[in-house]
Amino acid sequence: MPFVIPAQRLLVPCLLLLVLTIAATGTGSSFMPPERVVAAFLGQGARMDEVIVWKLRLPRVALAIVAGAALAIAGALLQRVVRNPMASPSVLGITDGAAVGVVLFLWLFSDQANILQVSVHWQPLAAILGAAAFGGLVTFLALADRGGNRPLKIILYGIALAALAKAAVTLLIIVGPVYRASQALTWLTGSVGAAHWQDVLVLGTGLVLVVPFLVWNRVTFRQLALDPQSATLTGLSLSRAQFALLSGAVFLTALAAAHVGAIGFVGLMAPHIARVFHGQFRSGYLLATALTGSLLVLGADTLARIIAPPLELPAGALTALVGAPLFLYLLLKGRRSHA
Amino acid sequence: MTRLIAGLCLLLIAVALFSLHAGLSFYSPATVWSALAGGEGADALIVRTLRVPRTLIGLAVGAALGLSGLLMQTVTRNPVAEPGLLGVNAGAALAVTLAVTVFGTGSLAGIGAAAVAGALLTTGLVFAISLSAGGSGNPATTLLAGFTVAALLASFTQTLLLVDETALETLLFWLSGSFADRPLTLLQLGGPLLVLGAGGSLVLASALDVLRLDDTSAQSIGLNVAAVRLGALALAALLAAGAVAMAGPVMFLGLAAPHLARLMTGPVLPSIRHLVFLSMLTGAVLATSADILARLIVAPGEAPMSAVLALIGVPMLIHILRRRKGLVT
């Protein structure tokens, strides 16, 4: 199988993303027309414009793009492994696990006056640890379960543990003098509002690291679309393949959740949309999915900023609003979506 | 069976009485009795205006959710069906939030009507989805559909509340799911719904007994399977709506109560008629106990009851998922 990506098919989403990026960067407390945004991008703009664009708006836009891509790829991997179109990163319990990590970190390292004892830069690490702990717990439960259909069991245990994690977060927020408890709460809705270039860098690096893994597993990813018997006949070690792709999904979800919280429905919707405009068995499907995820989160965050100014809604609330009709349509359309 | 029901009634009375004594400050029975007899003073006021309503609401909500869960589990033959996990609570909560934010409803009747409408619509939606996804008998599909719909509706609710800050202040507390500081007048709303649900369940009990067979057998005996299923689900939605209107969305009570009730009967498979009473009693005991725990575990603060119930309910859910061979096909 030659590794080529049909560029012309991805041209439209790429162009859309570019247009949306320019529009999103221009949107804010002071509107900036596209030509000034582009000028600032290219370093030809007015000094003030460049400060606004590079310091204030672009980190947020870039974070939305990388987080959306990460969540979307995680969703595509999951739907393929679980063979269920309703699987999404949030049902793994991982996003809520990340929130537990964050709240626990704030609780442990805050002193009486609610001042954090250690640098806040350790927070993403806490989130990743929390996500990994819950991801590990869900996986362990599923492995210890000798019943059939292990991937789907993982989802069900994920739902159970997500509920447990939500309860733990609420308890910790109430019990402990938590430094910036309100910020801990934004994790549960999901927002790219507090973006810094550093977040973009960490998330972007994570994404880049995943690319070779995805290229390496691209054949596996296709084989998993077959029914289990046929997949095994094509020489696939089913449990190993499931484990590898699940790990990838856990890593990506944890990474995104650590930085932007639980932006829901992106991992659920993006693979479906990409399947419609690109096709799930054409090479470049994951890239199409990633682009769709970026478009979704960036679009949602931009809408969230202009819908009720000066109030900023969390992007996570908007992705659900945008995704709802689509999700229901996909489901009621029947089961052709059985990845 | 009669002995078991009588024993549960006694346990319920004991827990309810303990609920009047327990809290940030423990009262002697003498204090509680004098308060109930109309005594004066701060302690009496606390018992009469805080602890009595809280206990009564808890009993009603617990009974309603326990029965609602039983009906859902029986009709769908799905051991993990319950109003919280299937998104019915979230639907009722969204409808109430909509009524308050968009239409400015303040009346009890309006809130009740909204909760009922939301619960019925969501129940219809979730079961329509799981049916169309080819999984009427597949608990996993129903659970996924419910989880997704619940997440969806919850984010709508959050968005509405973010846009409307005054509503946020009045509703956020109610949305956390608790029995504390609820006006007793809510019982005028939840009480009738509970009576209606219990009465309807008893009427349907023998039909539901037959429905425990597979659909084909039930039909050959002459049962109108679709009608019974629809009726029982409607009752389950009404009960959940009553509970949400009283206490806000509460998870896991509807899951745990019927399972505990079945555990208590041992190897005997009780009739639905018995299970109706058992589930209501178990739900009421569970709800009141969870509420007492919520008052005590992080004193002087108060833990959210939803968190306490999750700590009980999640291990139980995991146990059910593990035990059931063939739950996921």
Side-chain angles (χ1 to χ4, degrees), chain B residues 31-51:
Chain B
T31 316
V32 173
W33 282 119
S34 77
L36 292 179
E40 298 289 318
D43 290 353
L45 201 64
I46 286 178
V47 170
R48 268 209 308 276
T49 58
L50 295 177
R51 288 192 190 171

Side-chain angles (χ1 to χ4, degrees), chain A residues 37-85:
Chain A
V37 175
V38 176
F41 275 161
L42 302 171
Q44 312 282 319
R47 215 185 127 58
M48 195 60 211
D49 284 0
E50 293 206 9
V51 169
I52 289 177
V53 166
W54 285 95
K55 280 268 192 313
L56 295 174
R57 291 187 189 166
L58 215 47
R60 183 173 184 153
V61 170
L63 188 64
I65 291 173
V66 285
L71 286 167
I73 295 172
L77 294 178
L78 266 181
Q79 285 173 13
R80 186 61 61 87
V81 171
V82 182
R83 311 174 60 79
N84 189 315

Side-chain angles (χ1 to χ4, degrees), chain A:
Chain A
M1 185 182 322
F3 184 62
V4 282
I5 291 176
Q8 69 278 11
R9 287 197 149 265
L10 295 174
L11 201 60
V12 175
C14 278
L15 281 176
L16 265 177
L17 189 60
L18 188 67
V19 171
L20 192 57
T21 303
I22 293 169
T25 313
T27 317
S29 49
S30 61
F31 175 76
M32 206 182 286
E35 64 270 18
R36 272 167 60 196
V37 175
V38 176
F41 275 161
L42 302 171
Q44 312 282 319
R47 215 185 127 58
M48 195 60 211
D49 284 0
E50 293 206 9
V51 169
I52 289 177
V53 166
W54 285 95
K55 280 268 192 313
L56 295 174
R57 291 187 189 166
L58 215 47
R60 183 173 184 153
V61 170
L63 188 64
I65 291 173
V66 285
L71 286 167
I73 295 172
L77 294 178
L78 266 181
Q79 285 173 13
R80 186 61 61 87
V81 171
V82 182
R83 311 174 60 79
N84 189 315
M86 283 195 258
S88 76
S90 56
V91 301
L92 279 179
I94 295 175
T95 29
D96 292 302
V100 172
V102 169
V103 183
L104 202 60
F105 163 82
L106 294 175
W107 185 56
L108 285 175
F109 296 106
S110 300
D111 61 3
Q112 289 305 316
N114 273 354
I115 311 272
L116 209 56
Q117 298 292 310
V118 293
S119 164
V120 74
H121 295 317
W122 292 102
Q123 192 170 286
L125 181 68
I128 288 174
L129 284 177
F134 270 78
L137 199 55
V138 171
T139 315
F140 168 76
L141 278 170
L143 288 177
D145 189 319
R146 286 185 304 281
N149 200 341
R150 189 163 285 155
L152 195 47
K153 278 270 168 70
I154 289 181
I155 294 284
L156 298 180
Y157 288 129
I159 289 179
L161 285 176
L164 190 65
K166 281 195 177 84
V169 169
T170 328
L171 262 180
L172 279 168
I173 286 181
I174 287 186
V175 174
V178 169
Y179 163 78
R180 293 194 303 181
S182 62
Q183 209 206 16
L185 279 176
T186 49
W187 252 273
L188 296 178
T189 327
S191 158
V192 290
H196 298 286
W197 278 117
Q198 200 190 1
D199 300 328
V200 181
L201 189 72
V202 174
L203 240 173
T205 310
L207 261 184
V208 170
L209 287 177
V210 169
V211 170
F213 164 84
L214 292 176
V215 173
W216 178 259
N217 276 302
R218 70 186 187 279
V219 180
T220 309
F221 184 72
R222 290 191 167 201
Q223 285 168 306
L224 273 177
L226 302 164
D227 62 281
Q229 281 97 345
S230 318
T232 315
L233 285 175
T234 58
L236 182 74
S237 157
L238 202 58
S239 54
R240 186 182 303 170
Q242 285 173 344
F243 181 75
L245 293 193
L246 262 177
S247 315
V250 169
F251 174 75
L252 283 168
T253 309
L255 203 66
H259 290 92
V260 300
I263 295 187
F265 292 91
V266 177
L268 186 77
M269 290 187 297
H272 289 286
I273 299 172
R275 206 185 42 238
V276 172
F277 81 80
H278 187 87
Q280 63 170 329
F281 302 117
R282 195 172 267 114
S283 57
Y285 168 59
L286 280 179
L287 197 57
T289 305
L291 280 169
T292 312
S294 301
L295 277 168
L296 281 172
V297 177
L298 185 55
D301 185 52
T302 313
L303 264 179
R305 280 189 289 155
I306 57 178
I307 223 168
L311 201 65
E312 283 193 359
L313 301 174
L318 256 286
T319 46
L321 283 172
V322 177
L326 183 87
F327 167 69
L328 292 177
Y329 165 75
L330 281 167
L331 277 178
L332 297 171
K333 211 177 63 168
R335 290 290 257 183
R336 276 193 328 114
S337 49
H338 221 337

Side-chain angles (χ1 to χ4, degrees), chain B residues 37 66 80 115 149 192 206 211 217 221 236-237 244 252 315:
Chain B
V80 295
V149 169
S206 52
L211 199 65
S217 316
I221 297 174
V244 169
F252 291 114

